[in-house]
Amino acid sequence: MAAPSQPRQDTYDAIVIGAGIQGSFTAYHLVQRHRDTLLLEQFLLPHSRGSSHGQSRITRSAYAQEPYARMMPDSFRLWQQLEAEAGVSLYRRTGLVVLGPAGDPALEGCRRSLGDGEVLDATALAQRFPGLRLHTGEVAVWDGTAGVLFANRALQAVQDIFRRHGGTLRDGEKVLSIEPGAVVTVTTSAGVYRAPRLVIAAGAWTGSLVAPLGLCLPLQPLRIDVCYWREKEPGTPGTGRATPCFMALGLSRAPHGVYGMPPLEYPGMVKVCYHHGSPADPEERDRVPLGTPSPNVTILSSFISSYLPRLEPRPAIVETCLYTNTPDEDFILDRHPKFSNIIIGAGFSGHGFKLAPVVGKLLCELSLGEEPSHSTAPFAITRFPGVLRAAL
């Protein structure tokens, strides 16, 4: 998209920066509320530079943290609404097995979030899902609501519906400056735009965008290894479509947790990832010197050998993605402490995709000055001391 010779001047009811899944759902909700909305994306779409690309994400009801558990029914409903609007399938129900030591607090939290969550011992798990193995002192909790969201398809669908309702999406436009005020001015590489409300949902780039607005948010971008592991015998009972998603919590050998899902992306390959990564500059994510050690892949190889013996213990494919983590791994969903018409959604810490329909609704409500439909108190900026600085 070629930039015009002179910056354009355009006025909207709302501007959203970042066309990942969170920003796109925010724009979707705003335009559904009949607000003339501009959605800005710095890269040409589609792209794989941020956190929303790829074919699959887990969705689930099982959540150890109560705020997310309370939000998930609304999220499932809104995903179904998007499916109906777009006329495409966005979700495949597979169920989810949560593995961990018996009595582990996070595992128990997941069980409570399901009401009477079914608990499987090693024998019951082996009978139902022969590809998964438990060890002494470990149990599994079954979440029958869970499954796989088709991520790229979902992102495309929400952007299509946004535009169908009259929203404006401009990609290939990097935000150069934000000038706060009763009307916020956003200058990009191709235009100047104004609106009485602004939502910033720019993933790993959020920190650099809000710094000139006097905010020093504790956001840490991480480079994540997205690994695919070949089945030793493709089509073996207990693999393929019968395989559930899974999570492993509370294991000393994988303290940040492991998650996986069925072989939907690459035939005969199961996606298994470590829920952690290495600090990264989002502009330099893919510039990793050859031969750089991959301790997280080593952790996964050990986990595969121990818990998923029907998979080869070396990854067949390793791709990368970005997390943007907060210190407590909870989201930031809040108004700027000084400029109340600037709303910030950030720090989704690798577990935000499934909740994006609700996150977008909350950011929309905050931007319109409404009482949020779910409490945003757990996601306040002020839980982090010293974040407000003098504007540059």
PDB file of all heavy atoms in Angstrom, residues 285-320:
ATOM      1  N   ARG A 285      13.155 -10.612  16.354  1.00  0.00           N
ATOM      2  CA  ARG A 285      12.742 -11.935  16.810  1.00  0.00           C
ATOM      3  C   ARG A 285      13.364 -13.077  16.016  1.00  0.00           C
ATOM      4  O   ARG A 285      13.765 -14.103  16.564  1.00  0.00           O
ATOM      5  CB  ARG A 285      11.212 -12.044  16.722  1.00  0.00           C
ATOM      6  CG  ARG A 285      10.655 -13.332  17.286  1.00  0.00           C
ATOM      7  CD  ARG A 285       9.193 -13.521  16.919  1.00  0.00           C
ATOM      8  NE  ARG A 285       9.040 -14.125  15.622  1.00  0.00           N
ATOM      9  CZ  ARG A 285       7.889 -14.210  14.966  1.00  0.00           C
ATOM     10  NH1 ARG A 285       6.808 -13.700  15.477  1.00  0.00           N
ATOM     11  NH2 ARG A 285       7.824 -14.797  13.780  1.00  0.00           N
ATOM     12  N   ASP A 286      13.446 -12.934  14.711  1.00  0.00           N
ATOM     13  CA  ASP A 286      13.884 -14.040  13.861  1.00  0.00           C
ATOM     14  C   ASP A 286      15.382 -14.047  13.606  1.00  0.00           C
ATOM     15  O   ASP A 286      15.883 -14.903  12.871  1.00  0.00           O
ATOM     16  CB  ASP A 286      13.133 -14.005  12.525  1.00  0.00           C
ATOM     17  CG  ASP A 286      11.639 -14.226  12.711  1.00  0.00           C
ATOM     18  OD1 ASP A 286      11.276 -15.089  13.520  1.00  0.00           O
ATOM     19  OD2 ASP A 286      10.843 -13.525  12.058  1.00  0.00           O
ATOM     20  N   ARG A 287      16.100 -13.103  14.214  1.00  0.00           N
ATOM     21  CA  ARG A 287      17.541 -13.029  14.000  1.00  0.00           C
ATOM     22  C   ARG A 287      18.273 -13.739  15.130  1.00  0.00           C
ATOM     23  O   ARG A 287      18.906 -13.126  15.983  1.00  0.00           O
ATOM     24  CB  ARG A 287      17.986 -11.571  13.887  1.00  0.00           C
ATOM     25  CG  ARG A 287      17.337 -10.847  12.726  1.00  0.00           C
ATOM     26  CD  ARG A 287      17.788  -9.408  12.634  1.00  0.00           C
ATOM     27  NE  ARG A 287      17.026  -8.677  11.617  1.00  0.00           N
ATOM     28  CZ  ARG A 287      17.176  -7.379  11.365  1.00  0.00           C
ATOM     29  NH1 ARG A 287      18.047  -6.662  12.055  1.00  0.00           N
ATOM     30  NH2 ARG A 287      16.447  -6.791  10.431  1.00  0.00           N
ATOM     31  N   VAL A 288      18.173 -15.048  15.133  1.00  0.00           N
ATOM     32  CA  VAL A 288      18.814 -15.879  16.153  1.00  0.00           C
ATOM     33  C   VAL A 288      20.007 -16.568  15.498  1.00  0.00           C
ATOM     34  O   VAL A 288      19.845 -17.264  14.499  1.00  0.00           O
ATOM     35  CB  VAL A 288      17.840 -16.925  16.724  1.00  0.00           C
ATOM     36  CG1 VAL A 288      18.510 -17.748  17.800  1.00  0.00           C
ATOM     37  CG2 VAL A 288      16.596 -16.233  17.269  1.00  0.00           C
ATOM     38  N   PRO A 289      21.218 -16.391  16.033  1.00  0.00           N
ATOM     39  CA  PRO A 289      22.401 -17.019  15.426  1.00  0.00           C
ATOM     40  C   PRO A 289      22.258 -18.533  15.359  1.00  0.00           C
ATOM     41  O   PRO A 289      21.710 -19.163  16.282  1.00  0.00           O
ATOM     42  CB  PRO A 289      23.538 -16.609  16.360  1.00  0.00           C
ATOM     43  CG  PRO A 289      23.044 -15.382  17.070  1.00  0.00           C
ATOM     44  CD  PRO A 289      21.564 -15.563  17.193  1.00  0.00           C
ATOM     45  N   LEU A 290      22.746 -19.114  14.272  1.00  0.00           N
ATOM     46  CA  LEU A 290      22.728 -20.571  14.141  1.00  0.00           C
ATOM     47  C   LEU A 290      23.512 -21.189  15.289  1.00  0.00           C
ATOM     48  O   LEU A 290      24.543 -20.673  15.705  1.00  0.00           O
ATOM     49  CB  LEU A 290      23.330 -20.987  12.796  1.00  0.00           C
ATOM     50  CG  LEU A 290      22.496 -20.642  11.549  1.00  0.00           C
ATOM     51  CD1 LEU A 290      23.275 -20.986  10.290  1.00  0.00           C
ATOM     52  CD2 LEU A 290      21.172 -21.394  11.576  1.00  0.00           C
ATOM     53  N   GLY A 291      23.022 -22.302  15.796  1.00  0.00           N
ATOM     54  CA  GLY A 291      23.706 -22.980  16.880  1.00  0.00           C
ATOM     55  C   GLY A 291      23.363 -22.466  18.258  1.00  0.00           C
ATOM     56  O   GLY A 291      23.902 -22.952  19.253  1.00  0.00           O
ATOM     57  N   THR A 292      22.454 -21.463  18.337  1.00  0.00           N
ATOM     58  CA  THR A 292      22.043 -20.955  19.640  1.00  0.00           C
ATOM     59  C   THR A 292      21.342 -22.065  20.416  1.00  0.00           C
ATOM     60  O   THR A 292      20.438 -22.711  19.881  1.00  0.00           O
ATOM     61  CB  THR A 292      21.095 -19.747  19.483  1.00  0.00           C
ATOM     62  OG1 THR A 292      21.774 -18.720  18.765  1.00  0.00           O
ATOM     63  CG2 THR A 292      20.667 -19.213  20.852  1.00  0.00           C
ATOM     64  N   PRO A 293      21.750 -22.319  21.668  1.00  0.00           N
ATOM     65  CA  PRO A 293      21.093 -23.384  22.456  1.00  0.00           C
ATOM     66  C   PRO A 293      19.594 -23.131  22.611  1.00  0.00           C
ATOM     67  O   PRO A 293      19.146 -21.988  22.680  1.00  0.00           O
ATOM     68  CB  PRO A 293      21.819 -23.321  23.803  1.00  0.00           C
ATOM     69  CG  PRO A 293      23.105 -22.604  23.531  1.00  0.00           C
ATOM     70  CD  PRO A 293      22.823 -21.651  22.412  1.00  0.00           C
ATOM     71  N   SER A 294      18.834 -24.214  22.663  1.00  0.00           N
ATOM     72  CA  SER A 294      17.379 -24.128  22.843  1.00  0.00           C
ATOM     73  C   SER A 294      16.987 -24.927  24.081  1.00  0.00           C
ATOM     74  O   SER A 294      16.510 -26.063  23.975  1.00  0.00           O
ATOM     75  CB  SER A 294      16.650 -24.666  21.605  1.00  0.00           C
ATOM     76  OG  SER A 294      16.976 -23.910  20.464  1.00  0.00           O
ATOM     77  N   PRO A 295      17.182 -24.324  25.272  1.00  0.00           N
ATOM     78  CA  PRO A 295      16.877 -25.097  26.491  1.00  0.00           C
ATOM     79  C   PRO A 295      15.417 -25.498  26.595  1.00  0.00           C
ATOM     80  O   PRO A 295      15.105 -26.546  27.166  1.00  0.00           O
ATOM     81  CB  PRO A 295      17.271 -24.137  27.624  1.00  0.00           C
ATOM     82  CG  PRO A 295      17.258 -22.766  26.995  1.00  0.00           C
ATOM     83  CD  PRO A 295      17.674 -22.973  25.577  1.00  0.00           C
ATOM     84  N   ASN A 296      14.526 -24.692  26.028  1.00  0.00           N
ATOM     85  CA  ASN A 296      13.109 -25.038  26.117  1.00  0.00           C
ATOM     86  C   ASN A 296      12.785 -26.259  25.258  1.00  0.00           C
ATOM     87  O   ASN A 296      11.906 -27.059  25.612  1.00  0.00           O
ATOM     88  CB  ASN A 296      12.248 -23.847  25.710  1.00  0.00           C
ATOM     89  CG  ASN A 296      12.410 -22.680  26.676  1.00  0.00           C
ATOM     90  OD1 ASN A 296      12.745 -22.868  27.834  1.00  0.00           O
ATOM     91  ND2 ASN A 296      12.193 -21.472  26.186  1.00  0.00           N
ATOM     92  N   VAL A 297      13.454 -26.410  24.132  1.00  0.00           N
ATOM     93  CA  VAL A 297      13.262 -27.600  23.304  1.00  0.00           C
ATOM     94  C   VAL A 297      13.790 -28.836  24.035  1.00  0.00           C
ATOM     95  O   VAL A 297      13.196 -29.927  23.966  1.00  0.00           O
ATOM     96  CB  VAL A 297      13.939 -27.424  21.928  1.00  0.00           C
ATOM     97  CG1 VAL A 297      13.846 -28.713  21.112  1.00  0.00           C
ATOM     98  CG2 VAL A 297      13.299 -26.268  21.158  1.00  0.00           C
ATOM     99  N   THR A 298      14.875 -28.663  24.763  1.00  0.00           N
ATOM    100  CA  THR A 298      15.411 -29.773  25.562  1.00  0.00           C
ATOM    101  C   THR A 298      14.409 -30.197  26.629  1.00  0.00           C
ATOM    102  O   THR A 298      14.188 -31.400  26.860  1.00  0.00           O
ATOM    103  CB  THR A 298      16.735 -29.356  26.213  1.00  0.00           C
ATOM    104  OG1 THR A 298      17.661 -28.960  25.195  1.00  0.00           O
ATOM    105  CG2 THR A 298      17.325 -30.491  27.030  1.00  0.00           C
ATOM    106  N   ILE A 299      13.784 -29.226  27.290  1.00  0.00           N
ATOM    107  CA  ILE A 299      12.746 -29.530  28.278  1.00  0.00           C
ATOM    108  C   ILE A 299      11.608 -30.311  27.628  1.00  0.00           C
ATOM    109  O   ILE A 299      11.116 -31.304  28.169  1.00  0.00           O
ATOM    110  CB  ILE A 299      12.230 -28.231  28.922  1.00  0.00           C
ATOM    111  CG1 ILE A 299      13.290 -27.630  29.835  1.00  0.00           C
ATOM    112  CG2 ILE A 299      10.924 -28.467  29.688  1.00  0.00           C
ATOM    113  CD1 ILE A 299      12.970 -26.234  30.335  1.00  0.00           C
ATOM    114  N   LEU A 300      11.196 -29.867  26.442  1.00  0.00           N
ATOM    115  CA  LEU A 300      10.098 -30.528  25.744  1.00  0.00           C
ATOM    116  C   LEU A 300      10.472 -31.947  25.326  1.00  0.00           C
ATOM    117  O   LEU A 300       9.643 -32.868  25.420  1.00  0.00           O
ATOM    118  CB  LEU A 300       9.691 -29.717  24.518  1.00  0.00           C
ATOM    119  CG  LEU A 300       8.891 -28.444  24.795  1.00  0.00           C
ATOM    120  CD1 LEU A 300       8.744 -27.625  23.514  1.00  0.00           C
ATOM    121  CD2 LEU A 300       7.512 -28.781  25.354  1.00  0.00           C
ATOM    122  N   SER A 301      11.696 -32.147  24.862  1.00  0.00           N
ATOM    123  CA  SER A 301      12.122 -33.489  24.454  1.00  0.00           C
ATOM    124  C   SER A 301      12.036 -34.465  25.621  1.00  0.00           C
ATOM    125  O   SER A 301      11.575 -35.606  25.466  1.00  0.00           O
ATOM    126  CB  SER A 301      13.556 -33.443  23.910  1.00  0.00           C
ATOM    127  OG  SER A 301      13.614 -32.739  22.686  1.00  0.00           O
ATOM    128  N   SER A 302      12.452 -34.005  26.790  1.00  0.00           N
ATOM    129  CA  SER A 302      12.360 -34.852  27.980  1.00  0.00           C
ATOM    130  C   SER A 302      10.900 -35.132  28.328  1.00  0.00           C
ATOM    131  O   SER A 302      10.541 -36.268  28.668  1.00  0.00           O
ATOM    132  CB  SER A 302      13.064 -34.167  29.154  1.00  0.00           C
ATOM    133  OG  SER A 302      12.871 -34.876  30.357  1.00  0.00           O
ATOM    134  N   PHE A 303      10.050 -34.110  28.210  1.00  0.00           N
ATOM    135  CA  PHE A 303       8.628 -34.284  28.503  1.00  0.00           C
ATOM    136  C   PHE A 303       7.995 -35.280  27.530  1.00  0.00           C
ATOM    137  O   PHE A 303       7.227 -36.160  27.936  1.00  0.00           O
ATOM    138  CB  PHE A 303       7.920 -32.930  28.417  1.00  0.00           C
ATOM    139  CG  PHE A 303       6.437 -33.005  28.648  1.00  0.00           C
ATOM    140  CD1 PHE A 303       5.916 -32.912  29.926  1.00  0.00           C
ATOM    141  CD2 PHE A 303       5.558 -33.189  27.579  1.00  0.00           C
ATOM    142  CE1 PHE A 303       4.544 -33.002  30.141  1.00  0.00           C
ATOM    143  CE2 PHE A 303       4.193 -33.275  27.784  1.00  0.00           C
ATOM    144  CZ  PHE A 303       3.688 -33.179  29.072  1.00  0.00           C
ATOM    145  N   ILE A 304       8.310 -35.151  26.248  1.00  0.00           N
ATOM    146  CA  ILE A 304       7.750 -36.052  25.225  1.00  0.00           C
ATOM    147  C   ILE A 304       8.109 -37.503  25.552  1.00  0.00           C
ATOM    148  O   ILE A 304       7.252 -38.399  25.528  1.00  0.00           O
ATOM    149  CB  ILE A 304       8.280 -35.670  23.825  1.00  0.00           C
ATOM    150  CG1 ILE A 304       7.784 -34.281  23.402  1.00  0.00           C
ATOM    151  CG2 ILE A 304       7.912 -36.740  22.801  1.00  0.00           C
ATOM    152  CD1 ILE A 304       6.342 -34.200  23.035  1.00  0.00           C
ATOM    153  N   SER A 305       9.364 -37.725  25.864  1.00  0.00           N
ATOM    154  CA  SER A 305       9.806 -39.097  26.153  1.00  0.00           C
ATOM    155  C   SER A 305       9.065 -39.685  27.343  1.00  0.00           C
ATOM    156  O   SER A 305       8.762 -40.883  27.378  1.00  0.00           O
ATOM    157  CB  SER A 305      11.317 -39.109  26.428  1.00  0.00           C
ATOM    158  OG  SER A 305      12.036 -38.696  25.277  1.00  0.00           O
ATOM    159  N   SER A 306       8.758 -38.837  28.316  1.00  0.00           N
ATOM    160  CA  SER A 306       8.159 -39.317  29.557  1.00  0.00           C
ATOM    161  C   SER A 306       6.642 -39.422  29.504  1.00  0.00           C
ATOM    162  O   SER A 306       6.061 -40.340  30.075  1.00  0.00           O
ATOM    163  CB  SER A 306       8.584 -38.392  30.699  1.00  0.00           C
ATOM    164  OG  SER A 306       8.159 -38.890  31.940  1.00  0.00           O
ATOM    165  N   TYR A 307       5.978 -38.483  28.809  1.00  0.00           N
ATOM    166  CA  TYR A 307       4.517 -38.392  28.860  1.00  0.00           C
ATOM    167  C   TYR A 307       3.825 -38.727  27.537  1.00  0.00           C
ATOM    168  O   TYR A 307       2.639 -39.040  27.526  1.00  0.00           O
ATOM    169  CB  TYR A 307       4.093 -36.986  29.288  1.00  0.00           C
ATOM    170  CG  TYR A 307       4.360 -36.708  30.740  1.00  0.00           C
ATOM    171  CD1 TYR A 307       5.589 -36.229  31.160  1.00  0.00           C
ATOM    172  CD2 TYR A 307       3.388 -36.947  31.708  1.00  0.00           C
ATOM    173  CE1 TYR A 307       5.860 -35.981  32.499  1.00  0.00           C
ATOM    174  CE2 TYR A 307       3.636 -36.697  33.053  1.00  0.00           C
ATOM    175  CZ  TYR A 307       4.879 -36.221  33.436  1.00  0.00           C
ATOM    176  OH  TYR A 307       5.126 -35.991  34.763  1.00  0.00           O
ATOM    177  N   LEU A 308       4.539 -38.619  26.419  1.00  0.00           N
ATOM    178  CA  LEU A 308       3.940 -38.876  25.106  1.00  0.00           C
ATOM    179  C   LEU A 308       4.840 -39.842  24.338  1.00  0.00           C
ATOM    180  O   LEU A 308       5.451 -39.493  23.319  1.00  0.00           O
ATOM    181  CB  LEU A 308       3.782 -37.557  24.332  1.00  0.00           C
ATOM    182  CG  LEU A 308       2.870 -36.507  24.986  1.00  0.00           C
ATOM    183  CD1 LEU A 308       3.112 -35.133  24.377  1.00  0.00           C
ATOM    184  CD2 LEU A 308       1.416 -36.897  24.813  1.00  0.00           C
ATOM    185  N   PRO A 309       4.938 -41.082  24.789  1.00  0.00           N
ATOM    186  CA  PRO A 309       5.922 -42.012  24.226  1.00  0.00           C
ATOM    187  C   PRO A 309       5.660 -42.394  22.772  1.00  0.00           C
ATOM    188  O   PRO A 309       6.540 -42.993  22.140  1.00  0.00           O
ATOM    189  CB  PRO A 309       5.826 -43.220  25.158  1.00  0.00           C
ATOM    190  CG  PRO A 309       4.446 -43.145  25.742  1.00  0.00           C
ATOM    191  CD  PRO A 309       4.155 -41.682  25.886  1.00  0.00           C
ATOM    192  N   ARG A 310       4.486 -42.081  22.246  1.00  0.00           N
ATOM    193  CA  ARG A 310       4.212 -42.420  20.845  1.00  0.00           C
ATOM    194  C   ARG A 310       4.707 -41.352  19.868  1.00  0.00           C
ATOM    195  O   ARG A 310       4.485 -41.458  18.659  1.00  0.00           O
ATOM    196  CB  ARG A 310       2.712 -42.639  20.654  1.00  0.00           C
ATOM    197  CG  ARG A 310       2.220 -43.859  21.427  1.00  0.00           C
ATOM    198  CD  ARG A 310       0.775 -44.197  21.114  1.00  0.00           C
ATOM    199  NE  ARG A 310       0.390 -45.451  21.755  1.00  0.00           N
ATOM    200  CZ  ARG A 310      -0.744 -46.078  21.527  1.00  0.00           C
ATOM    201  NH1 ARG A 310      -1.623 -45.563  20.686  1.00  0.00           N
ATOM    202  NH2 ARG A 310      -1.021 -47.217  22.140  1.00  0.00           N
ATOM    203  N   LEU A 311       5.362 -40.318  20.395  1.00  0.00           N
ATOM    204  CA  LEU A 311       5.935 -39.278  19.545  1.00  0.00           C
ATOM    205  C   LEU A 311       7.451 -39.407  19.504  1.00  0.00           C
ATOM    206  O   LEU A 311       8.082 -39.834  20.480  1.00  0.00           O
ATOM    207  CB  LEU A 311       5.566 -37.880  20.069  1.00  0.00           C
ATOM    208  CG  LEU A 311       4.091 -37.539  20.165  1.00  0.00           C
ATOM    209  CD1 LEU A 311       3.930 -36.094  20.645  1.00  0.00           C
ATOM    210  CD2 LEU A 311       3.369 -37.742  18.837  1.00  0.00           C
ATOM    211  N   GLU A 312       8.033 -39.032  18.379  1.00  0.00           N
ATOM    212  CA  GLU A 312       9.490 -38.954  18.289  1.00  0.00           C
ATOM    213  C   GLU A 312       9.989 -37.902  19.277  1.00  0.00           C
ATOM    214  O   GLU A 312       9.377 -36.829  19.411  1.00  0.00           O
ATOM    215  CB  GLU A 312       9.920 -38.586  16.865  1.00  0.00           C
ATOM    216  CG  GLU A 312       9.513 -39.592  15.795  1.00  0.00           C
ATOM    217  CD  GLU A 312      10.350 -40.858  15.848  1.00  0.00           C
ATOM    218  OE1 GLU A 312      11.340 -40.902  16.619  1.00  0.00           O
ATOM    219  OE2 GLU A 312      10.010 -41.817  15.127  1.00  0.00           O
ATOM    220  N   PRO A 313      11.099 -38.139  19.968  1.00  0.00           N
ATOM    221  CA  PRO A 313      11.542 -37.213  21.012  1.00  0.00           C
ATOM    222  C   PRO A 313      12.299 -35.990  20.500  1.00  0.00           C
ATOM    223  O   PRO A 313      12.736 -35.164  21.304  1.00  0.00           O
ATOM    224  CB  PRO A 313      12.435 -38.092  21.885  1.00  0.00           C
ATOM    225  CG  PRO A 313      12.989 -39.110  20.944  1.00  0.00           C
ATOM    226  CD  PRO A 313      11.899 -39.385  19.949  1.00  0.00           C
ATOM    227  N   ARG A 314      12.442 -35.856  19.190  1.00  0.00           N
ATOM    228  CA  ARG A 314      13.060 -34.658  18.614  1.00  0.00           C
ATOM    229  C   ARG A 314      12.027 -33.956  17.743  1.00  0.00           C
ATOM    230  O   ARG A 314      11.315 -34.605  16.975  1.00  0.00           O
ATOM    231  CB  ARG A 314      14.290 -35.016  17.773  1.00  0.00           C
ATOM    232  CG  ARG A 314      15.444 -35.579  18.575  1.00  0.00           C
ATOM    233  CD  ARG A 314      16.600 -35.960  17.667  1.00  0.00           C
ATOM    234  NE  ARG A 314      17.708 -36.510  18.410  1.00  0.00           N
ATOM    235  CZ  ARG A 314      18.704 -35.783  18.925  1.00  0.00           C
ATOM    236  NH1 ARG A 314      18.699 -34.466  18.740  1.00  0.00           N
ATOM    237  NH2 ARG A 314      19.688 -36.353  19.597  1.00  0.00           N
ATOM    238  N   PRO A 315      11.941 -32.630  17.813  1.00  0.00           N
ATOM    239  CA  PRO A 315      10.931 -31.938  17.007  1.00  0.00           C
ATOM    240  C   PRO A 315      11.247 -32.021  15.526  1.00  0.00           C
ATOM    241  O   PRO A 315      12.404 -31.916  15.115  1.00  0.00           O
ATOM    242  CB  PRO A 315      11.007 -30.493  17.514  1.00  0.00           C
ATOM    243  CG  PRO A 315      12.395 -30.348  18.066  1.00  0.00           C
ATOM    244  CD  PRO A 315      12.756 -31.691  18.619  1.00  0.00           C
ATOM    245  N   ALA A 316      10.203 -32.222  14.729  1.00  0.00           N
ATOM    246  CA  ALA A 316      10.370 -32.256  13.276  1.00  0.00           C
ATOM    247  C   ALA A 316      10.390 -30.842  12.702  1.00  0.00           C
ATOM    248  O   ALA A 316      11.068 -30.579  11.702  1.00  0.00           O
ATOM    249  CB  ALA A 316       9.236 -33.061  12.647  1.00  0.00           C
ATOM    250  N   ILE A 317       9.635 -29.934  13.314  1.00  0.00           N
ATOM    251  CA  ILE A 317       9.552 -28.551  12.846  1.00  0.00           C
ATOM    252  C   ILE A 317       9.563 -27.647  14.074  1.00  0.00           C
ATOM    253  O   ILE A 317       8.879 -27.927  15.068  1.00  0.00           O
ATOM    254  CB  ILE A 317       8.257 -28.306  12.039  1.00  0.00           C
ATOM    255  CG1 ILE A 317       8.253 -29.158  10.763  1.00  0.00           C
ATOM    256  CG2 ILE A 317       8.091 -26.829  11.683  1.00  0.00           C
ATOM    257  CD1 ILE A 317       6.934 -29.107  10.002  1.00  0.00           C
ATOM    258  N   VAL A 318      10.329 -26.574  14.014  1.00  0.00           N
ATOM    259  CA  VAL A 318      10.334 -25.563  15.077  1.00  0.00           C
ATOM    260  C   VAL A 318      10.089 -24.197  14.430  1.00  0.00           C
ATOM    261  O   VAL A 318      10.864 -23.756  13.581  1.00  0.00           O
ATOM    262  CB  VAL A 318      11.655 -25.546  15.864  1.00  0.00           C
ATOM    263  CG1 VAL A 318      11.610 -24.452  16.947  1.00  0.00           C
ATOM    264  CG2 VAL A 318      11.935 -26.903  16.489  1.00  0.00           C
ATOM    265  N   GLU A 319       8.984 -23.564  14.822  1.00  0.00           N
ATOM    266  CA  GLU A 319       8.668 -22.217  14.378  1.00  0.00           C
ATOM    267  C   GLU A 319       8.746 -21.292  15.594  1.00  0.00           C
ATOM    268  O   GLU A 319       9.067 -21.741  16.697  1.00  0.00           O
ATOM    269  CB  GLU A 319       7.274 -22.187  13.739  1.00  0.00           C
ATOM    270  CG  GLU A 319       7.170 -23.109  12.533  1.00  0.00           C
ATOM    271  CD  GLU A 319       5.754 -23.255  11.995  1.00  0.00           C
ATOM    272  OE1 GLU A 319       4.807 -22.829  12.678  1.00  0.00           O
ATOM    273  OE2 GLU A 319       5.598 -23.818  10.887  1.00  0.00           O
ATOM    274  N   THR A 320       8.485 -19.997  15.395  1.00  0.00           N
ATOM    275  CA  THR A 320       8.547 -19.076  16.520  1.00  0.00           C
ATOM    276  C   THR A 320       7.298 -18.206  16.567  1.00  0.00           C
ATOM    277  O   THR A 320       6.619 -17.998  15.565  1.00  0.00           O
ATOM    278  CB  THR A 320       9.786 -18.160  16.452  1.00  0.00           C
ATOM    279  OG1 THR A 320       9.753 -17.393  15.251  1.00  0.00           O
ATOM    280  CG2 THR A 320      11.063 -18.964  16.532  1.00  0.00           C
TER     281      THR A 320
END
